[in-house]
Amino acid sequence: MNGRTSGEVLVIGSGGREHALACALARSSRVRRVLVCPGNGGTTALPSADGASIEAVAAPLSGAGDLAPLIALARDRRVALTVVGPEAPLAAGIVDAFGAAGLRCFGPTAACARIESSKAWAKALMARAGVPTPRCQVFDDYTSAREHLRRVDHPVVIKASGLAAGKGVALPEDLEQAEQALIQIMVERRHGAAGDRVLIEERVAGIEVSMLALCDGRRARLLPAAQDHKRLDDGDRGPNTGGMGACAPVAVVTPELRCAVEQRVFQPVLDLLQAEGTPYVGVLYAGLMLTAAGPQVLEFNCRFGDPEAQVLLPLLAGDLVAAIDACLDGALAPEHVRCTGQAAAAVVLAASGYPGSPRRGDAIEGVAAAARIEGVTVFHSGTARRAGELVTDGGRVLSVTGVGSDLARALDRAYRGAACIRFTGMQYRRDIGVRAGQGGPCERAPAPDRAARESTPRTTMG
Ligand code: GLY
């Protein structure tokens, strides 16, 4: 199915990542219209200022595994290319199903998406490929896992192996919290079957960065390093969220470090998957901890990050559709991931109650004023249109991205944009990117102090 996309493209998903994808695809001269299914309040019949129009379309889906309505939609609308945002449809085999139906679809197959949908499988893959990653043991029964927790003398991270909507990772501060997290995952089955297998991993200290690459099955071409801000509040405090902001590039990731990550992380994984007959085509996201002993892979994701996409896609200098076509045709070249050399910062505006139960239905004002600021784009996540009015409709409501010649300018623009926007209970961090020069937010391993007690285990959502 080699070819050159032309005409309509379809984006699957409804978040800020998918809005950023739609905007990047709409800039392509190869694209007439971008359909987004199901989309959000920002993708509803938008005439684009400098590219193709963007339009939200509905499909009668019963869940991430329900692929037939999407195939019917792609056929009915004569979609030339489908780009998948979230992990769930990738894990459910959307790329395989579209391929079998003769439709071009960008993303990894279900076999490759196991790199995210089965953390146990990903760990075994990393071991076989020699990729540096923290020590870990995998358990299928609660009693053995609990005994292991009581034996280890280092801080741990407990992970549900399967997909848990980003909520399956606990960072306990002590043994009591660790046992509580294990009970929630394995006994109470808070994440269902996703937690029937758990990983107990050594918690390592360092600077956390997100490195994403486009992959054509043989080669990975890295995008600039990005940094997510997972905690709700300034100073990396408060509960974990899906991500409250991002910036790129990250100063601590030098060209030498990028090269080392490409050679020691991405290439061995791609080589092994190709040798095993399941070449990886799509976006590969490595969540890395830069430790004193070098980079360690904490996780792989089989897709763009959110909010990382909202800072990386605006930095692409070239045509995203051409890059995707090159991935699908096994011909990805360095020029396909050429970037502008600028910096970008995204500030997430979240609803009151997030990350628990967000308020919905509040009127949003000021988006147009924000978007008029030079270098500012407002990407929608949890928004909807009710009788023509833009209202909140989810936890992370908007991402305000600023692009500038350096990070300081990008941040200034993003925050000036954020200051234009209002809705009841709006919350956002004021310190996105402030430490990016020194490495930015990080998860530091606590001392293995079992005497320290906190009430509940923290649970990550990213
Ligand atoms: N920002 C983290 C993720 O997308 O998984």
Side-chain angles (χ1 to χ4, degrees):
M1 262 201 297
N2 282 18
R4 192 176 193 278
T5 296
S6 166
E8 300 210 346
V9 301
L10 171 64
V11 175
I12 306 292
S14 62
R17 164 183 52 207
E18 287 75 26
H19 192 189
L21 275 167
C23 291
L25 294 164
R27 288 200 300 269
S28 169
S29 58
R30 301 180 182 197
V31 174
R32 194 175 59 244
R33 185 177 294 119
V34 183
L35 308 172
V36 190
C37 181
N40 57 39
T43 57
T44 315
L46 277 185
S48 168
D50 58 351
S53 63
I54 297 174
E55 178 187 330
V57 286
L61 297 173
S62 60
D66 185 16
L67 303 173
L70 294 173
I71 291 173
L73 172 69
R75 280 201 174 125
D76 288 352
R77 298 292 295 247
R78 298 181 186 282
V79 164
L81 169 70
T82 298
V83 181
V84 186
E87 62 279 13
L90 292 166
I94 189 169
V95 172
D96 311 69
F98 270 55
L103 297 163
R104 276 166 84 78
C105 186
F106 179 60
T109 58
C112 286
R114 283 180 294 175
I115 207 159
E116 178 167 1
S117 66
S118 169
K119 290 184 167 59
W121 186 85
K123 274 286 187 187
L125 178 78
M126 284 189 257
R128 281 184 286 129
V131 169
T133 185
R135 283 181 296 167
C136 164
Q137 287 209 30
V138 178
F139 296 92
D140 289 316
D141 76 285
Y142 167 72
T143 308
S144 315
R146 191 192 57 199
E147 292 314 308
H148 178 74
L149 276 182
R150 290 178 179 177
R151 272 196 310 272
V152 294
D153 60 356
H154 53 70
V156 296
V157 182
I158 302 175
K159 300 178 176 178
S161 181
L163 290 183
K167 298 180 186 168
V169 179
L171 305 171
E173 300 292 340
D174 54 39
L175 180 60
E176 185 181 311
Q177 285 190 11
E179 292 197 6
Q180 200 179 332
L182 197 61
I183 289 169
Q184 287 168 354
I185 297 172
M186 295 198 91
V187 179
E188 296 171 2
R189 301 184 84 234
R190 184 168 283 195
H191 312 295
D196 287 349
R197 175 169 283 178
V198 297
L199 288 72
I200 299 179
E201 187 176 272
E202 182 175 5
R203 191 164 165 185
V204 292
I207 297 165
E208 208 171 335
V209 296
S210 310
M211 294 193 69
L212 286 78
L214 298 187
C215 304
D216 71 357
R218 291 179 303 125
R219 287 297 309 264
R221 305 281 179 193
L222 268 63
L223 298 168
Q227 208 154 34
D228 193 2
H229 295 61
K230 290 200 171 93
R231 300 290 181 122
L232 182 70
D233 301 320
D234 288 359
D236 294 326
R237 294 175 201 284
N240 272 291
T241 71
M244 292 298 291
C247 55
V250 181
V252 73
V253 181
T254 59
E256 295 72 29
L257 183 55
R258 262 174 79 81
C259 198
V261 169
E262 188 176 337
Q263 288 171 5
R264 291 170 50 200
V265 173
F266 284 89
Q267 202 54 51
V269 165
L270 260 62
D271 288 345
L272 183 60
L273 289 173
Q274 193 190 11
E276 294 184 348
T278 52
Y280 193 102
V281 177
V283 175
L284 182 58
Y285 167 144
L288 297 169
M289 189 68 89
L290 306 180
T291 74
Q296 302 262 322
V297 177
L298 303 182
E299 63 177 2
F300 280 117
N301 294 321
C302 62
R303 52 172 172 82
F304 273 108
D306 185 339
E308 287 93 334
Q310 291 93 304
V311 293
L312 292 176
L313 291 167
L315 296 179
L316 268 185
D319 184 320
L320 179 60
V321 176
I324 289 174
D325 279 342
C327 288
L328 291 171
D329 297 343
L332 190 63
E335 63 264 26
H336 289 121
V337 293
R338 196 167 45 82
C339 285
T340 60
Q342 294 170 292
V347 177
V348 169
L349 310 182
S352 159
Y354 180 73
S357 304
R359 264 176 75 107
R360 290 170 195 265
D362 291 309
I364 304 170
E365 291 168 10
V367 170
R372 277 196 295 273
I373 298 172
E374 189 189 349
V376 170
T377 308
V378 182
F379 296 116
H380 293 234
S381 303
T383 70
R385 306 245 171 211
R386 304 254 191 276
E389 188 185 39
L390 188 67
V391 297
T392 61
D393 193 35
R396 290 189 291 174
V397 176
L398 298 162
S399 311
V400 185
T401 294
V403 173
S405 54
D406 57 28
L407 187 58
R409 285 184 180 83
L411 282 163
D412 176 63
R413 288 174 168 175
Y415 276 110
R416 279 198 288 132
C420 294
I421 298 174
R422 276 179 190 73
F423 55 87
T424 303
M426 180 173 109
Q427 47 174 341
Y428 63 96
R429 282 181 60 160
R430 268 73 176 173
D431 66 346
I432 301 302
V434 295
R435 288 187 290 152
Q438 307 119 50
C442 59
E443 286 292 351
R444 294 203 179 280
D449 173 9
R450 297 201 164 162
R453 293 281 184 265
E454 284 190 17
S455 53
T456 49
R458 294 202 178 101
T459 301
T460 70
M461 298 182 70

